C-alpha cells in the first residue's frame, strides 16, 4: 500500500494532551463544586466487527437499543465495557514494559546553552555510557560537557556522534561505584518521555509530575521503554480485577517501545520503509497460557500494536507462540495475515503513522478507515492519551 492512503484530516483539538478525566460535582452548603479526576478506563471505546463489517459506538440496553442520557443523547461505550465482549477462558496479552523518565534538561559548559537530552538506552553500566538524542544537535560536539543539576554532581561528556541527533554520553558520576545510586540520581532529574506532539502542544512544553504515573501502565514491570504501550494505559486496577472475576486470563510479554514508532515515513511505497529495532522477550510461561487458550478454542486478544508486533515476530507456522529473547524491526501494514491473535485493541493514532497502519492491517483497511472517519466526526480523541478501537473477528 501507499503512504498517502493513510492520510486524513485530524483536528488539533482531537489530539489528547492529557489522560481522560471525569468530571464530578460535589454539593456543599455553599453551593456546587466541580473537580476532575483521572479515569483511565472511562475513555471512549469503539468496537469493530470484521466479519459483519459493523462498527459500534454506543451502549445498548437489554433490548439491544442505543442507551440515551437524561438529555436524550446516545451514551458512548467506555473502555471498561471491553469485558462485556469476552468470556471466561479468553486471554489478553499485555506488554509489561516499564517507561523510565528519559527526557532531561541541562546546560552546555561555558556557554550555558540549554540542552534537551533524551535517554534511549544504557550501553555500559560500569562506564556509565548511554545512547541519547540531543537538541539542538548542532551545538553538541564530541568533548563537550553537559551539566544537569545546580551543584554539578550529574555531568556528562559527549564521546561519540551516532546519528545527526544521536550522541554517546559518558556520565562522570561517582558515588562509591554504586550503579543503582547513579541511576536513581539520573532518573530523579528526568521527566516522563511524552511524545513530541504532546510536549510541543502543551502550553509549558513540559510533562507534569502526574505524567510519570499517567504514562505508565498499571501492570508495568520490566524497565526499558522510552514511550508507553499506549493502549495498555486504559487499564485500571479496578478493570483488571473485573477481568479476573470474569475468568479472563492475562499473559505478559515485554517489548521495549522506542521512538521509531513516531518517525515520519519518508517513502510513498511502504515496502521500502525500515523500522527501528526494539528489544523484546516472550517467556515460555506466556506461550503456554496463550497456546492453551488457542487450543481450547477461546479467543486471544492483543492489547496494543506493540503486542501485535511482538506476537507476530514470535508466532510459528503452526499458529502457536514461541519463546523469544532478542530484537524485532517488524513493520506490519495491510495486507497482512495475522497468525496468532484473533482480537486486538489499539488507540486512534495520527495520519500516516505506523501505528495506524498496524491497526488497519488487523481490522482491514476499509473498515478501519471508516472507523477513523467516524472517530473524527464524533469527537474521539487521538494519540497516546486518546480513545481506542476494539477489533473482533465476528
Amino acid at each position: 500500500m501507499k503512504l498517502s492512503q493513510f492520510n486524513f484530516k485530524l483536528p488539533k483539538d482531537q489530539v489528547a494532551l492529557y489522560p481522560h478525566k471525569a468530571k464530578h460535582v460535589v454539593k456543599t452548603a455553599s453551593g456546587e463544586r466541580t473537580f476532575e479526576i483521572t479515569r483511565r478506563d472511562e475513555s471512549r471505546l469503539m468496537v469493530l466487527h470484521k466479519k459483519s463489517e459493523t462498527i459500534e459506538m454506543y451502549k445498548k440496553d437489554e433490548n439491544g437499543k442505543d442507551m440515551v442520557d437524561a438529555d436524550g443523547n446516545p451514551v458512548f461505550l467506555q473502555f471498561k465495557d471491553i469485558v462485556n465482549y469476552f468470556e471466561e477462558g479468553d486471554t489478553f496479552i499485555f506488554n509489561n514494559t516499564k517507561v523510565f523518565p528519559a527526557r532531561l534538561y541541562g546546560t552546555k559548559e561555558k556557554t550555558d546553552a540549554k540542552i534537551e537530552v533524551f535517554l534511549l538506552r544504557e550501553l555500559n553500566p560500569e562506564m556509565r555510557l548511554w545512547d541519547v538524542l540531543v537538541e539542538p544537535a548542532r551545538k553538541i560536539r564530541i568533548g563537550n560537557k553537559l551539566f544537569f543539576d545546580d551543584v554539578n554532581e550529574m555531568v556528562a561528556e559527549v564521546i561519540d556522534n551516532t546519528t545527526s541527533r544521536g550522541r554517546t554520553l559518558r556520565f562522570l558520576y561517582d558515588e562509591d561505584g554504586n550503579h543503582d545510586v547513579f541511576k536513581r540520581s539520573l532518573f530523579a532529574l528526568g521527566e516522563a518521555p511524552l511524545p513530541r506532539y504532546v510536549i510541543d502542544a502543551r502550553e509549558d512544553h513540559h510533562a507534569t509530575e502526574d505524567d510519570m504515573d499517567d504514562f505508565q501502565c498499571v501492570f508495568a514491570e520490566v524497565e526499558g521503554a522510552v514511550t508507553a504501550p499506549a493502549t495498555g494505559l486504559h487499564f485500571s486496577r479496578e478493570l483488571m480485577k473485573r477481568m479476573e472475576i470474569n475468568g479472563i486470563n492475562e499473559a505478559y510479554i515485554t517489548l521495549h517501545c522506542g521512538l521509531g514508532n513516531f518517525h515520519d515515513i519518508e517513502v510513498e511505497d511502504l515496502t521500502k520503509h525500515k523500522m527501528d529495532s526494539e528489544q523484546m522477550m516472550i517467556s515460555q510461561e506466556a506461550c503456554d497460557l496463550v497456546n492453551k487458550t488457542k487450543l481450547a478454542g477461546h479467543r486471544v486478544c492483543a492489547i496494543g500494536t506493540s503486542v501485535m508486533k511482538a506476537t507476530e515476530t514470535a508466532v510459528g507456522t503452526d499458529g502457536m507462540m514461541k519463546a523469544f529473547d532478542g530484537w524485532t524491526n517488524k513493520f506490519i501494514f495491510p495486507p497482512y495475515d495475522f497468525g496468532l491473535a484473533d482480537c486486538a485493541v489499539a488507540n486512534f493514532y495520527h495520519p500516516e503513522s505506523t501505528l495506524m497502519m498496524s491497526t488497519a492491517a488487523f481490522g482491514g483497511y476499509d473498515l478501519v478507515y471508516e472507523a477513523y472517519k467516524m472517530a473524527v466526526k464524533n469527537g474521539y480523541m487521538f494519540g497516546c492519551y486518546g480513545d481506542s478501537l476494539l477489533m473482533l473477528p465476528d
Side-chain angles (χ1 to χ4, degrees):
M1 296 195 77
K2 304 299 183 182
L3 175 65
S4 55
Q5 291 177 267
F6 293 89
N7 194 16
F8 64 95
K9 187 176 181 180
L10 176 61
K12 289 184 179 180
D13 61 359
Q14 283 183 244
V15 177
L17 303 183
Y18 297 91
H20 177 80
K21 295 182 183 296
K23 289 186 177 181
H24 290 266
V25 179
V26 176
K27 294 183 179 180
T28 64
S30 58
E32 292 185 348
R33 184 168 63 91
T34 301
F35 65 97
E36 292 185 328
I37 186 169
T38 298
R39 285 283 186 261
R40 57 174 73 206
D41 61 6
E42 291 184 3
S43 57
R44 289 191 195 178
L45 176 71
M46 189 182 293
V47 182
L48 178 156
H49 299 269
K50 295 167 65 174
K51 185 177 180 179
S52 62
E53 297 185 345
T54 57
I55 298 173
E56 292 181 68
M57 291 193 300
Y58 306 120
K59 293 186 179 185
K60 306 287 186 182
D61 62 20
E62 57 186 14
N63 297 316
K65 295 183 178 181
D66 290 344
M67 297 176 62
V68 296
D69 60 20
D71 298 320
N73 300 313
V75 179
F76 285 96
L77 286 166
Q78 294 180 316
F79 190 83
K80 61 186 179 182
D81 295 318
I82 193 172
V83 294
N84 300 328
Y85 293 88
F86 292 89
E87 299 175 347
E88 182 177 356
D90 292 339
T91 295
F92 282 15
I93 308 178
F94 296 99
N95 183 1
N96 67 357
T97 186
K98 187 175 183 180
V99 174
F100 61 90
R103 183 173 277 114
L104 305 174
Y105 297 94
T107 57
K108 182 183 173 184
E109 65 174 339
K110 297 180 182 178
T111 65
D112 285 337
K114 293 184 178 180
I115 302 297
E116 178 184 313
V117 172
F118 195 98
L119 303 172
L120 296 177
R121 62 191 180 99
E122 191 171 30
L123 300 173
N124 187 311
E126 291 183 2
M127 297 181 66
R128 315 270 200 260
L129 296 184
W130 279 78
D131 184 19
V132 307
L133 297 177
V134 295
E135 189 70 38
R138 67 183 184 279
K139 295 184 178 181
I140 307 302
R141 298 180 175 90
I142 294 175
N144 288 159
K145 286 187 172 62
L146 308 178
F147 299 85
F148 296 97
D149 57 21
D150 296 333
V151 295
N152 296 339
E153 285 188 358
M154 190 63 68
V155 182
E157 181 182 8
V158 181
I159 65 171
D160 196 12
N161 297 330
T162 53
T163 63
S164 60
R165 293 178 56 223
R167 302 289 186 271
T168 300
L169 298 187
R170 179 174 62 218
F171 284 90
L172 310 176
Y173 183 93
D174 185 23
E175 185 65 34
D176 298 326
N178 191 314
H179 181 257
D180 290 337
V181 173
F182 160 70
K183 283 191 73 173
R184 284 198 298 271
S185 299
L186 179 64
F187 287 175
L189 297 170
E191 64 178 40
L194 297 177
R196 192 80 252 173
Y197 66 82
V198 173
I199 290 294
D200 289 345
R202 286 188 177 182
E203 188 173 346
D204 60 357
H205 304 299
H206 279 281
T208 67
E209 290 185 9
D210 290 339
D211 280 312
M212 205 57 234
D213 288 327
D214 293 336
F215 201 55
Q216 194 82 269
C217 297
V218 296
F219 44 79
E221 183 177 0
V222 185
E223 184 181 276
V226 294
T227 187
T231 305
L233 297 177
H234 296 285
F235 287 86
S236 63
R237 289 180 174 82
E238 293 79 9
L239 179 55
M240 301 291 283
K241 189 63 179 179
R242 286 182 61 200
M243 289 172 50
E244 179 185 343
I245 292 171
N246 287 6
I248 299 172
N249 302 309
E250 303 162 14
Y252 293 95
I253 60 95
T254 304
L255 185 142
H256 293 318
C257 304
L259 295 184
N261 296 292
F262 303 111
H263 290 343
D264 291 336
I265 298 179
E266 299 178 347
V267 291
E268 177 69 3
D269 182 355
L270 297 183
T271 62
K272 296 180 179 179
H273 177 67
K274 303 299 181 184
M275 293 288 289
D276 291 352
S277 293
E278 296 167 304
Q279 188 178 15
M280 58 170 279
M281 292 81 76
I282 296 180
S283 67
Q284 188 59 50
E285 179 184 6
C287 292
D288 291 344
L289 175 55
V290 170
N291 295 338
K292 180 180 177 182
T293 301
K294 289 177 67 70
L295 292 171
H298 294 293
R299 290 182 297 175
V300 173
C301 185
I303 305 301
T305 57
S306 66
V307 173
M308 295 182 203
K309 181 189 300 184
T311 54
E312 287 305 301
T313 298
V315 67
T317 55
D318 57 356
M320 298 291 110
M321 192 164 75
K322 313 297 182 184
F324 189 98
D325 188 351
W327 296 74
T328 181
N329 63 350
K330 195 171 190 64
F331 178 28
I332 300 176
F333 60 92
Y336 182 89
D337 292 326
F338 281 79
L340 188 83
D342 44 24
C343 310
V345 193
N347 278 23
F348 287 100
Y349 286 109
H350 286 68
E352 298 185 345
S353 65
T354 61
L355 304 172
M356 177 190 178
M357 293 168 189
S358 295
T359 306
F362 194 94
Y365 172 80
D366 291 334
L367 200 54
V368 167
Y369 201 84
E370 179 63 26
Y372 266 63
K373 288 195 297 184
M374 292 171 64
V376 171
K377 182 179 179 180
N378 289 276
Y380 283 67
M381 302 303 291
F382 284 67
C384 62
Y385 278 146
D387 297 315
S388 56
L389 177 69
L390 168 63
M391 296 169 283
L392 300 173
D394 57 337

